[in-house]
Amino acid sequence: MKKFEELERIQQEFSSLNVQPNGEASSSGSNIPTEVEPKVEDEEMTEVGTPDLVKAQFTQEQLEEVFKRTSAFTVRSATIDTSTIEDMDALDLWQVEYKDGSTSEFYEEDEYHYVDESFWDEEFGERVARKGRVRSQKEPRIPSTGTGRRGIDRESIIAKYKIMQVQVQDRNGNYFTVKKRVSNMDPSLPTYVKIPARPISRSWAHKIMPKSKIPECLIPPGSKYHEVNSVLSADLTQYGTDFSAVYMDPPILLPGEAPCKGKITIDEFAVLNVSKIVNAGFLFIWLEKEWLQRIVSIVAKWGFKYVENFCWIKKNINNQINRDEYKYFNKSKLSLLIFRKEGEIELRHQRNPDCVFDFIRPRLPDEITEKKPPFMYNVIETLLPKANYNPETNPNGDKMLELWAKKDSRRMGWTSVVEV
């Protein structure tokens, strides 16, 4: 057994130092003990008789040394090949003790994530060997010359990449350290963009198919779409005579603005009489604040009275409120005046605010006015629940009309009139 072999080795060491049995002193009174022959042969030592014999042969200090050198034996350490122990350090012995007991070869595990050999080949320009250590055969490490296929030395690559270390805590209170490699690039360096030479070859271009007509299956139910040359000269009664809501965005010229194609004056707008198509309902008109008083007077002649207004607060793409120059204050909003023609109509009161913050949308070349927030459709449809499309109560969707609608705009339950 390993313990008896170690005990025999200790006895030989003490014998070489002239160890004297406990309780016997030399005749000269010297502290140097004399050699004592063992009373029992090594072959005849038994597990039961060993403690008493050892206790009779050694001093207390020597017994403590015996305990230190024999008490750490385990099954795994007892089976280690002693020929290779001398070449191991403390970490290697621990790995052999608590892992597999093999001293031939073992590999270190990756700390964070697995990378294959091609990763190191691309980074350093050379293929590195498998991450492992062979203790039985040690080869001297050859320093890298730093000349890879990319022509970049190791110092440049190390300077290019840095390690970011972050400590995080999970829901159970345990802390973890996460390391991540981050690129340390100079933001002042130029960015190169490849531009083809003129003329641009066809391989760089993507063919854009012409816009096709909307299939019938994709048309919203209860929606109607009409194109006219002029909304002012069109007979609105051909689209219906019992609308509950008329929503419009008239392209009215501002005071002092030069006339242009597609826009109308405030006097031309006054000839539009919508009272023939609304028996009892609401009128919604987008306009600038220059014409607030004038529009209220015009619509009052049509038989409508002012009841409410809604504001669109314009925002630019940088999330800043838009500012247009004006006489007193900068213009940052657009008003939607709401008028009502008295009569029996079901209303659903709302809790939403009387304004909306929305971005200014890009205007297409053929658009005279800017696109308004689509949120207003939901406001109107919520306010007038009986005007919405319903296969049973309103199968034709002829309760809501939009004048000066955008081209190709369709919505369920709406009649859109577009000026082209």
Side-chain angles (χ1 to χ4, degrees):
M1 296 177 64
K2 286 286 183 180
K3 288 189 177 182
F4 295 121
E5 293 178 2
E6 185 67 22
L7 182 60
E8 181 182 358
R9 189 180 303 107
I10 295 173
Q11 287 177 343
Q12 293 177 358
E13 292 178 2
F14 290 166
S15 298
S16 62
L17 296 175
N18 295 326
V19 177
Q20 181 177 346
N22 189 18
E24 299 181 3
S26 60
S27 59
S28 61
S30 175
N31 293 330
I32 302 175
T34 59
E35 183 178 359
V36 178
E37 294 295 332
K39 297 180 180 181
V40 182
E41 296 298 332
D42 295 341
E43 293 80 0
E44 299 177 356
M45 292 180 65
T46 61
E47 189 174 354
V48 177
T50 299
D52 296 335
L53 295 176
V54 173
K55 191 171 182 179
Q57 293 176 1
F58 303 111
T59 64
Q60 183 66 24
E61 295 180 356
Q62 295 168 351
L63 290 174
E64 292 178 356
E65 182 66 23
V66 172
F67 176 77
K68 291 180 182 179
R69 297 173 62 174
T70 60
S71 62
F73 281 111
T74 62
V75 177
R76 291 186 180 274
S77 61
T79 59
I80 297 177
D81 186 3
T82 56
S83 62
T84 60
I85 294 180
E86 297 179 358
D87 296 334
M88 296 185 180
D89 53 16
L91 178 61
D92 298 335
L93 286 174
W94 178 85
Q95 290 183 346
V96 173
E97 174 73 17
Y98 293 98
K99 290 189 176 181
D100 55 357
S102 175
T103 61
S104 60
E105 181 178 1
F106 61 90
Y107 297 95
E108 297 177 349
E109 298 180 357
D110 293 334
E111 281 191 29
Y112 302 105
H113 55 84
Y114 172 79
V115 292
D116 53 10
E117 295 180 356
S118 62
F119 171 82
W120 303 103
D121 190 18
E122 294 176 358
E123 288 295 324
F124 298 100
E126 57 185 3
R127 188 175 296 277
V128 298
R130 183 182 179 186
K131 295 180 65 179
R133 295 185 297 177
V134 180
R135 291 298 180 182
S136 59
Q137 296 180 359
K138 291 187 177 181
E139 297 180 1
R141 181 178 179 181
I142 301 175
S144 175
T145 59
T147 58
R149 59 186 178 185
R150 293 189 182 181
I152 303 177
D153 56 353
R154 183 182 180 86
E155 288 74 14
S156 300
I157 297 176
I158 295 176
K160 180 180 177 182
Y161 295 97
K162 290 186 177 180
I163 300 298
M164 179 178 65
Q165 182 171 336
V166 181
Q167 189 176 24
V168 296
Q169 183 181 10
D170 63 0
R171 65 180 63 182
N172 298 324
N174 302 321
Y175 287 91
F176 300 93
T177 301
V178 180
K179 290 184 179 181
K180 181 180 179 182
R181 188 181 65 179
V182 294
S183 178
N184 184 23
M185 303 298 293
D186 188 359
S188 62
L189 295 177
T191 302
Y192 297 95
V193 179
K194 185 177 181 181
I195 301 177
R198 293 176 180 261
I200 300 177
S201 61
R202 293 189 177 184
S203 60
W204 282 75
H206 297 278
K207 185 177 180 182
I208 300 177
M209 300 297 293
K211 187 176 181 180
S212 58
K213 296 183 65 176
I214 301 177
E216 294 293 336
C217 60
L218 298 180
I219 296 177
S223 65
K224 301 180 180 63
Y225 181 82
H226 305 280
E227 293 183 354
V228 296
N229 295 327
S230 175
V231 174
L232 296 177
S233 59
D235 182 13
L236 301 181
T237 57
Q238 62 179 329
Y239 309 123
T241 57
D242 191 19
F243 288 103
S244 299
V246 178
Y247 177 61
M248 64 177 67
D249 182 20
I252 303 176
L253 289 168
L254 296 177
E257 184 180 1
C260 62
K261 183 180 178 181
K263 287 198 171 185
I264 59 176
T265 63
I266 189 67
D267 296 328
E268 292 175 341
F269 176 75
V271 302
L272 180 68
N273 192 352
V274 297
S275 59
K276 296 181 180 180
I277 60 174
V278 178
N279 295 326
F282 288 84
L283 182 62
F284 305 86
I285 305 176
W286 284 108
L287 75 159
E288 298 284 354
K289 60 183 177 181
E290 290 89 336
W291 298 119
L292 290 177
Q293 184 178 1
R294 184 72 184 276
I295 289 294
V296 172
S297 301
I298 292 174
V299 176
K301 297 178 181 179
W302 296 348
F304 294 82
K305 67 176 182 179
Y306 169 79
V307 293
E308 186 59 278
N309 70 85
F310 194 92
C311 292
W312 168 30
I313 301 176
K314 301 179 180 180
K315 296 176 66 176
N316 296 322
I317 56 176
N318 57 0
N319 209 27
Q320 299 294 324
I321 296 179
N322 180 64
R323 289 182 173 89
D324 293 332
E325 294 184 0
Y326 190 59
K327 185 186 301 183
Y328 301 104
F329 301 102
N330 289 331
K331 298 168 62 175
S332 301
K333 64 180 179 62
L334 197 64
S335 300
L336 177 71
L337 297 188
I338 303 175
F339 303 88
R340 179 176 181 179
K341 189 175 183 179
E342 293 297 338
E344 185 178 354
I345 187 173
E346 181 179 349
L347 297 179
R348 181 182 298 168
H349 296 282
Q350 304 179 59
R351 298 180 182 270
N352 57 282
D354 58 354
C355 63
V356 62
F357 289 80
D358 202 353
F359 291 95
I360 300 175
R361 291 164 175 78
R363 186 182 302 182
L364 298 178
D366 58 343
E367 291 181 347
I368 305 301
T369 59
E370 56 192 354
K371 295 180 180 178
K372 303 305 185 290
F375 175 71
M376 289 312 305
Y377 293 103
N378 299 329
V379 173
I380 298 173
E381 292 169 357
T382 305
L383 181 65
L384 304 171
K386 294 294 185 180
N388 295 327
Y389 168 78
N390 190 291
E392 297 179 358
T393 59
N394 187 18
N396 298 325
D398 52 1
K399 292 295 183 180
M400 292 181 290
L401 174 67
E402 182 180 6
L403 301 179
W404 287 284
K406 301 304 177 185
K407 190 174 182 180
D408 297 330
S409 61
R410 293 174 177 268
R411 188 174 179 87
M412 183 174 62
W414 284 81
T415 301
S416 303
V417 180
V418 181
E419 188 175 89
V420 295

